[in-house]
Amino acid sequence: MKTTFFAQHDEDAHAFLKAVFQLPGGILPDHHRQELRMRLDGLANHRSQQALIALCDCLNTQQVAYPGSELRLVFEASFWLDIFPEFTL
């Protein structure tokens, strides 16, 4: 993933991951689907948002269960317009 979005820019990759770990979001258990959905609120710029979506896709391919449960972790990035639909571009 680093080669796709942050080729030759280690400091950009570091800043991106730092921003991801500080994102607000939500934890949404869905026992019917056996999922624990980790919803991350989106990032401000398009490039970072696309990198976040790619990171979520990469994590989701791992099919990891939350420790001590049968719930599979599912990561998703929401765009701020999804959160605040009353705003328009």
Side-chain angles (χ1 to χ4, degrees):
M1 188 180 118
K2 179 184 168 196
T3 57
T4 304
F5 291 98
F6 303 108
Q8 302 174 359
H9 300 285
D10 285 340
E11 60 278 352
D12 288 347
H14 177 77
F16 167 75
L17 289 175
K18 184 176 178 182
V20 168
F21 287 121
Q22 294 175 348
L23 282 175
I27 301 173
L28 310 166
D30 184 340
H31 295 282
H32 179 70
R33 290 183 163 180
Q34 294 289 306
E35 293 179 346
L36 185 58
R37 191 164 297 276
M38 312 300 286
R39 182 171 293 156
L40 301 170
D41 293 348
L43 291 163
N45 67 62
H46 182 71
R47 179 176 174 234
S48 294
Q49 182 68 15
Q50 292 305 308
L52 179 60
I53 291 168
L55 176 61
C56 289
D57 290 344
C58 181
L59 292 170
N60 289 335
T61 63
Q62 301 301 309
Q63 302 286 314
V64 176
Y66 185 78
S69 78
E70 298 291 322
L71 300 177
R72 183 175 57 89
L73 291 173
V74 178
F75 295 87
E76 66 180 29
S78 58
F79 186 58
W80 64 272
L81 285 176
D82 296 335
I83 301 166
F84 300 106
E86 64 272 13
F87 292 104
T88 58
L89 294 176

